[in-house]
Amino acid sequence: MSVSMRQEADTGFVEIDNPPVNAIGHAVREGLLKAVKWAEEAKLARVIVTGKGRAFAAGADAREFDSAPKEPHLPDVLNAIDESPVPWIAAIDGVALGGGAEIAMACRMRIISPKSQIGLPEVTLGVLPGAGGTQRLPRLVGLARALDIITTGKPLTAQKALEAGLVHQVADDPMQAALGTGAEALQRIVPTWTLPAPDADEGAFEAARKAVAKKQANQTAPLKVIELIRDTLAEPFHQALLAERTAFLELRNGAQSKALRHMFFAERAAKAPAWLTAEPVSLKHVAVVGGGTMGAGIAYALLNAGLTVTILETDAQGAERAIANVEKIISASLKRGLINDARAADHRSRFAASSDYSTAADATLAIEAAYESMEVKVDVIGKLEAALPKDAILATNTSYLDINEIAAAASDPARVVGLHFFAPAHIMKLLEIVRGDHSSDTSLATGFALAKLLRKIPVLAGVCDGFIGNRILARYREAADTVLMDGATPWDVDKAMVGFGYAMGPYEAQDLSGLDIAHANRRRQDATRDANRRYIPIADRMVELGRLGKKTGAGWYLYPETGGKAEDAAVAELAVAAAKSAGLTRTAYSQQEIERRLVLAMINEAADILDEGIAQSAADIDLVTVSGYGFPRWRGGLMHYADSLGAGNIVEALEGLALEDAVAWKVSPLLKRCAENGGLLADYVPTR
Ligand code: T1G
């Protein structure tokens, strides 16, 4: 079934039925076109169109974007609705997105339920509304608002849609409200396509361009939207539709849309692997050890998911600090309107903090987010094991420490698993589920069940130094420090990576997280570091000088009291002095060369991570790099981007760099195999 039709007296009822979210695939387009003809032949007075289930329609079926478009094309179907002598009413009770919103705009009238949302998120898939949205929306809501809605892709709430003039009515029961709308009232509303287009307004176009440049730099679709609307505003409707179609198809076939669609589907495929059939433990009461920034963030994420949470601390003061930290997040969420007072009260009613572990005696999961020291974590595991039920899962949020060593502190290491959250834990979507040598399937299944409950993106990771994300980050930073030593400045590097698409470069990012964290990790690795591997001491020197980043007012940049950040010649001098004492001759690096080296370093490290089975798939690495480390989403993640470069080209470039440093640039065997057999990283399934 895709579209059903039935008639009662002079009213036709058309229902889109394509679970789970009524994506508008070929069958739905055919069904809608058939319904238009049916209603006209039956000389109906009106048609009420609805979506079955939780959506009105979620938009065109993005899975069809990789194949040749099949008639009837959605713009033609919607023109048939818009131009039909039988007026249609869209009764929206759920989401009406993309093509779903375009169906609604082609209807004579739109009635929406209070909780529904309506919008044109096409740019999030790297395309633009391709079924009349760029022409009908400006006619309904005006130019400036239409530009904002389409370029941002953000859906409108029912109330906002009413205020904008996108819908005619908000009703608890849109169907009843539609039935109450007589034919004569409908006839008074003119077909959308006949509405006059708004006047051109250069100010609106300029404002839209500025907003896109600020928030969506490097992305082609939003700019194309502005250009298309500007170029077609004065054109006759149907002629403008032709230009819209051309622009849509051009974007749909482009690299950015392919990358964004890859991310969209990869996020939805991030679930427990098929072999993991074990049942998770029931999740009601969760203990969080440590009420610092991470612990409080994790606790809030758990509260937000409706769980009962006890933060366990070392003493009463710690417990009070934990409460204050969680309260800070609750107030921030209240201030931002993310929760209301009732919700905040409900969160508080399910939250406690204590230094007495027996207060979590019925917790089925504990997540330790204690100080990043093996001694502390081993002690915590012991206390948890003593206090919680025997089958409670004991999870560690450690970023770098060896999960197996932590698990060894438990009498039953099968209960121990890594749940690596990313700060701020109640906002960042990524959750690395780290599988220790003894982690039971139940503990892994519990990790995936928790991710689903918290609406996070779970990625299974094997045990190695830094798991997936931090291991790639460490290599990224090493490559950055190397070009810093050999001739660049931190700001050269940061500019290069912002140009590549990161929101900020590696040095500014370090200033935010603090240079002491990576410093502690380097010291931890001193004993096992490869003596033949080049070591860059500049970051150590920074820490010795107390330049720990923003928190100390100075790191790679200066952070004046007045705010902002400033380049600091003293830091550039440090790099020059370090090179001099190492007897190196520094060279100048172009932005392009800096970007090339840093991205190749990450690709090479990630290929080894995949080859070693630390990651289960290239798509998982894409999810980690985009959702946890700021890799530009519109490039599809690190591995998708690598495949777009081609393994052969990557191997050739790495071999060139290996002539400079055979250790740091040792070419990943997986990349070599892909280069030899023409395979894609995306298709590689680890054998380990
Ligand atoms: N195409 C294909 N599959 C889709 C889909 C779509 N547009 N939207 C969702 N799905 C699948 C999804 O992959 C998942 O599959 C299942 O539905 C549930 O989705 C012509 C060209 C609607 C807010 O960008 O934002 O219209 O994993 O897990 O959290 O101008 O899905 O079960 O196999 O996300 O409740 C524009 C995309 C398309 C909206 C529901 N539309 N979808 O969220 O469920 S382009 C969009 C969403 C377009 C026109 C243009 C969300 C949702 P599986 P889910 P959810």
Side-chain angles (χ1 to χ4, degrees), residues 20-21 23 54 58-63 65 74 95 97-100 102 121-122 124-125 127-131 248 264-265 268-269 271 455:
V21 291
R54 58 196 171 105
D61 187 335
R63 277 174 291 235
F65 285 14
L74 194 55
V95 288
L97 297 174
E102 290 175 302
E122 284 85 341
T124 64
L125 294 176
V127 290
L128 52 73
F248 164 71
F264 176 85
F265 288 111
R268 285 152 182 81
K271 295 174 180 129
R455 291 183 74 83

